Amino acid sequence: EMPSEEASTFSEEQEALVLSAWDAMKGDSAAIALKFFLRIFEIAPAAKPMFPFLRDAGEDAPLESHPKLKAHAVTVFVMACESATQLRKTGDVKVREATLRRLGATHVRAGVADAHFEVVKTALLDTIEGAVPEMWTPEMKAAWEEAYDQLAAAIKEEMKLAA
Ligand code: HEM
């Protein structure tokens, strides 16, 4: 857990930077989800077989035809937005206990390691920068990073318990 004096620096402005970017992107979430996954697999090709729905579909199946791919991408964006709001309100990220337990178990089962969270973070930031270049600033980047990092820390912590 992050020390509260650090977490409590998450401001209303930072929350707005996170929410405004997603608000501008979400109307195009199918295309955004696809770009996000392509970027993940560009950075870490080895991550591809972790996703059972991609493995089962075979090498040549087009990525955009997978509804679960869109669902995972949108979940990561939406949960990072929820984290931003919680960080601003309470200085901490709380995921509902049942949800967190399931997330820990799912990711352990899929073979996800801590390093993959870094890959997904980079892909997330690159995707936002590509989607809303006119909004992108170092401040926006830092706000998304913090919201994502604290969410990832909660999931990784739960993964240790589930392993
Ligand atoms: C499944 C969220 C990071 C790979 C899921 C599910 C959610 C989720 C909600 C659906 C299953 C469930 O609810 O238990 C997130 C969030 C992340 C994150 C919020 C980051 C903050 C990652 C990373 C990887 C990954 C880093 C690996 C590159 C997977 C895989 C599944 C999954 C393979 C199972 C898919 C399936 O069986 O259909 N994730 N995830 N996730 N996630 Fe993530």
Side-chain angles (χ1 to χ4, degrees), residues 40 47 50-53 68 72 75-76 79 99 102-104 106-107 110 112-113 116-118 120 148 151-152 155:
I40 291 172
M50 280 181 179
F51 291 86
F53 51 94
K68 279 187 168 181
H72 189 272
T75 303
V76 174
M79 288 186 75
T99 305
R102 196 191 61 226
L103 282 173
T106 304
H107 290 95
V112 177
H116 295 116
F117 283 89
E118 287 303 307
V120 166
Y148 176 88
L151 173 61
I155 298 173

Side-chain angles (χ1 to χ4, degrees), residues 93 96 105 119 121:
V93 170
R96 209 164 54 91
V119 172
K121 176 166 84 168

